[in-house]
Amino acid sequence: MALQEVHRGSPFLQIGPYAEADALAVLYLKRDLQLPIVLRENDEEDEGYDEGKVTNSRFGSFPHSTLIGLPWGSQVRASTVDTGSRGRRLQTGQALNGCKKRKREDPIGKSFPADPGTPSEAGVPKAAVTATTGFAHLLPPTPESWTASLPHRTQVVYTPDYSYILQRLRVRPGMVLIEAGAGSGSFSHAAARSVFNGYPQDARQGVEDTQTSGGRSGKVWSYEFHEPRYDALRTELSDHGLEGVIELTHRDVCAEGFAVEERVQADAVFLDLPAPWLALEYLTRSPRNLVKKITPPISDDSAMDEKSFTDNENGFAATQPSVLNPESAVRICTFSPCIEQVQRTISTMRQLGWLEISMVEIAAKRIEVRRERVGLQEEGLRGVNASAASVDEALGRLRELDSRTREIKEMMAMANKEGELVAHTPSEEGQSRLLSKQERREQILQAQEGRKIYKEGNLVHRSEADIKMHTSYLVFAVLPRAWTEEDEKKARDQWPVGGGAKESFSGPLSKRQRKKAAKEAAGGKNLLEQITLAEP
């Protein structure tokens, strides 16, 4: 039996325990500064570093050779890399065009071209030298880290918003979701992870079908009308291996609807549009409400069927099928920054039969939990409160400062008396008691090695002043499933009305009791006839 070739899936959906070459990774510098990088074994752009491919940041330089093969979440020390002109080699194009690097001056004022450097032998990167300061953490790509580091082409939907939206829409593996207004792709990546239930068969060349047996693979139908943003997002989705989960379409859904060649049958909808009420007319159960006036096809190669065009006084109209799943209720969320947009959207929803309409505004703050260490033994360390923890500790430091002050005054008095500054050797008692700030810091650093700092200090928590997010109003609604006469007949056959033991009533009957009795008497009649019989 021949083995089928299997390529790696998306790093956002299936990730291994270690960072691999040619894989996407996130270099975590601090909470609001994360760098997405593609790990390369060789410097294909020939930037001139002997260490190979290098990522530079404000916290140091990180050769990719020090990142490949590490477990995810590892802390990586920065490396010493020459980022100046002498550490760079001439680019291939510059060498061919006769361009030279900018000149630098020697100490006596003569100028000469910079040393182009010597490339490593046989193209093997030189071993990196660890720097004394600077570090970062190597993280796998996730929708959360991608949202914090992606290139912004539009305002993005941040994690506090899309996590609540996906929960309210009840998105789960195997569902089909429509997203209109893809923008920078923040919500697209989060939605793909939520609906992912294995790759569909033959969706991507060489990827085996990992779909869970007995269920759908899940899909996100994403729409973007701005062509440059569409092209950029399409390239990103292809690089991230999400083309089998996210189907990106270049279209203005407010004018052309959501229908494509393949039937959509969406279970949930998310609209991030300036005018979502214009797109709502294409999100109904009945195809007759999805009529869009267009120009008839000129050539015979048009994808539209000639039977779908009908004559009218204004030209031609094309009827689009419904893109909603007829067998389940559909939930929707609109993302609007202005209350006027919300009012018009809710008015349109009520006209089109949407139910359980509600509006939510999210104001989230992150609560930071940490151990706070206080004391003079923390002097010189980062992220601590180096103040006296007790009265005795404060008095000890004051006595030390007072003794040092007296000693300095004595030295000054002796220097003034003899006319020159003389060296002063403190007594053995003073030498053991008086230490300079640098000496105290060295002792603290040495003592820190044997301390269990993670257990020291008081456990405190505080909320952050603000958090990066796009404040908008979220409108949620539910459209009930389609209900036909055939569905009504099946329901009546399965749960017959009437025929059971009748309740006996004493005294006058209320209006509700009369209606109930009329329904039982009607038996298999339809609902309209039952209501007519129940009227007094």
Side-chain angles (χ1 to χ4, degrees):
M1 178 178 179
L3 296 177
Q4 182 182 5
E5 181 183 2
V6 178
H7 295 268
R8 290 180 298 181
S10 171
F12 289 87
L13 305 175
Q14 297 173 338
I15 191 68
Y18 302 99
E20 300 178 358
D22 301 327
L24 180 66
V26 176
L27 205 59
Y28 187 97
L29 303 175
K30 59 180 184 177
R31 186 176 68 85
D32 56 350
L33 183 57
Q34 303 177 32
L35 300 178
I37 59 175
V38 178
L39 302 177
R40 302 294 187 189
E41 293 181 340
N42 301 315
D43 186 6
E44 299 177 354
E45 298 179 358
D46 193 20
E47 294 180 347
Y49 295 108
D50 291 339
E51 293 81 4
K53 184 67 175 177
V54 176
T55 296
N56 296 311
S57 70
R58 57 184 293 188
F59 295 96
S61 300
F62 300 91
H64 289 198
S65 58
T66 63
L67 305 177
I68 297 175
L70 291 180
W72 294 115
S74 300
Q75 185 185 78
V76 185
R77 293 287 298 273
S79 300
T80 301
V81 176
D82 187 0
T83 58
S85 61
R86 283 177 288 179
R88 302 293 187 90
R89 297 193 298 272
L90 287 174
Q91 300 289 341
T92 304
Q94 292 178 345
L96 294 177
N97 296 331
C99 299
K100 296 182 178 180
K101 304 185 74 172
R102 63 178 181 85
K103 297 181 179 181
R104 58 182 175 88
E105 294 185 355
D106 64 353
I108 61 176
K110 295 182 181 180
S111 62
F112 55 89
D115 183 10
T118 303
S120 56
E121 299 180 358
V124 178
K126 185 179 69 174
V129 179
T130 304
T132 56
T133 60
F135 67 90
H137 289 85
L138 186 65
L139 301 181
T142 62
E144 291 77 17
S145 61
W146 180 249
T147 298
S149 60
L150 58 80
H152 285 209
R153 296 179 288 270
T154 59
Q155 286 285 353
V156 303
V157 183
Y158 288 101
T159 301
D161 285 321
Y162 68 62
S163 59
Y164 182 78
I165 292 170
L166 294 172
Q167 184 269 335
R168 283 290 301 269
L169 294 180
R170 300 185 182 181
V171 179
R172 56 189 180 273
M175 289 185 61
V176 177
L177 183 142
I178 287 178
E179 177 200 13
S184 300
S186 172
F187 184 85
S188 305
H189 287 73
R193 181 182 61 180
S194 298
V195 305
F196 179 70
N197 194 31
Y199 288 104
Q201 190 172 5
D202 299 332
R204 290 162 65 251
Q205 184 179 3
V207 178
E208 65 176 356
D209 184 14
T210 58
Q211 177 180 339
T212 304
S213 59
R216 295 184 297 177
S217 58
K219 196 166 189 178
V220 177
W221 293 89
S222 185
Y223 299 85
E224 175 58 47
F225 83 99
H226 191 259
E227 188 171 1
R229 290 199 295 265
Y230 163 79
D231 294 334
L233 181 57
R234 185 176 182 180
T235 302
E236 287 179 355
L237 295 179
S238 178
D239 294 339
H240 298 168
L242 294 173
E243 64 272 21
V245 183
I246 301 177
E247 184 71 27
L248 185 63
T249 303
H250 178 219
R251 174 180 295 183
D252 183 5
V253 296
C254 295
E256 303 175 21
F258 300 87
V260 292
E261 294 181 2
E262 184 180 349
R263 193 172 182 183
V264 178
Q265 291 191 342
D267 304 298
V269 181
F270 175 68
L271 302 180
D272 186 5
L273 303 172
W277 56 89
L278 297 179
L280 287 175
E281 65 173 292
Y282 300 99
L283 297 172
T284 59
R285 297 291 188 186
S286 176
R288 65 176 180 272
N289 295 329
L290 303 177
V291 178
K292 191 65 185 177
K293 298 173 183 177
I294 60 175
T295 304
I298 298 177
S299 63
D300 297 336
D301 298 334
S302 174
M304 299 293 293
D305 187 1
E306 294 181 358
K307 295 182 180 179
S308 63
F309 292 88
T310 56
D311 294 307
N312 59 41
E313 57 183 3
N314 296 325
F316 290 81
T319 301
Q320 300 180 4
S322 175
V323 295
L324 306 181
N325 188 352
E327 299 180 358
S328 65
V330 177
R331 301 180 184 276
I332 190 174
C333 174
T334 64
F335 191 84
S336 303
C338 301
I339 195 65
E340 291 80 9
Q341 296 171 304
V342 172
Q343 293 173 345
R344 192 162 180 180
T345 300
I346 292 177
S347 177
T348 305
M349 284 181 173
R350 289 172 175 168
Q351 295 175 6
L352 296 176
W354 292 86
L355 306 176
E356 300 182 16
I357 303 174
S358 63
M359 186 194 74
V360 176
E361 182 183 12
I362 296 179
K365 286 188 178 181
R366 180 178 297 183
I367 297 178
E368 181 183 9
V369 181
R370 58 180 300 177
R371 286 190 175 273
E372 187 176 56
R373 306 198 309 272
V374 181
L376 296 178
Q377 75 276 9
E378 311 291 347
E379 183 180 8
L381 301 181
R382 184 176 298 177
V384 297
N385 186 0
S387 58
S390 63
V391 177
D392 294 337
E393 195 173 27
L395 289 175
R397 178 54 60 87
L398 289 175
R399 293 190 184 98
E400 181 181 350
L401 295 176
D402 184 61
S403 301
R404 182 175 293 277
T405 302
R406 288 199 308 267
E407 184 179 341
I408 293 176
K409 288 182 179 180
E410 292 175 0
M411 293 174 59
M412 297 296 294
M414 293 177 61
N416 293 335
K417 183 177 180 180
E418 299 179 3
E420 59 180 356
L421 186 63
V422 297
H424 174 70
T425 303
S427 61
E428 294 183 0
E429 180 183 357
Q431 189 174 11
S432 61
R433 180 170 48 86
L434 301 178
L435 298 175
S436 65
K437 185 175 181 179
Q438 181 63 25
E439 292 172 341
R440 289 198 307 269
R441 187 173 185 275
E442 290 178 357
Q443 286 187 357
I444 292 172
L445 292 177
Q446 292 177 359
Q448 184 184 9
E449 297 179 357
R451 293 166 52 188
K452 296 182 179 180
I453 298 179
Y454 60 90
K455 290 184 177 181
E456 297 181 2
N458 299 322
L459 194 63
V460 298
H461 68 276
R462 59 175 62 92
S463 61
E464 295 179 333
D466 55 359
I467 188 171
K468 182 189 290 185
M469 61 177 294
H470 182 204
T471 303
S472 289
Y473 300 107
L474 307 177
V475 178
F476 296 93
V478 179
L479 186 66
R481 62 160 295 179
W483 194 256
T484 61
E485 294 183 359
E486 183 179 356
D487 295 328
E488 179 72 17
K489 185 177 183 304
K490 291 181 179 179
R492 289 188 176 278
D493 293 340
Q494 186 172 0
W495 299 285
V497 179
K502 297 183 179 181
E503 300 179 0
S504 59
F505 299 97
S506 61
L509 299 178
S510 65
K511 187 175 181 180
R512 170 185 266 181
Q513 291 172 333
R514 291 199 303 270
K515 286 185 176 181
K516 184 176 180 180
K519 289 180 182 179
E520 294 178 353
K525 296 183 179 180
N526 57 39
L527 182 60
L528 181 60
E529 293 176 346
Q530 293 180 27
I531 296 176
T532 304
L533 293 175
E535 292 296 332

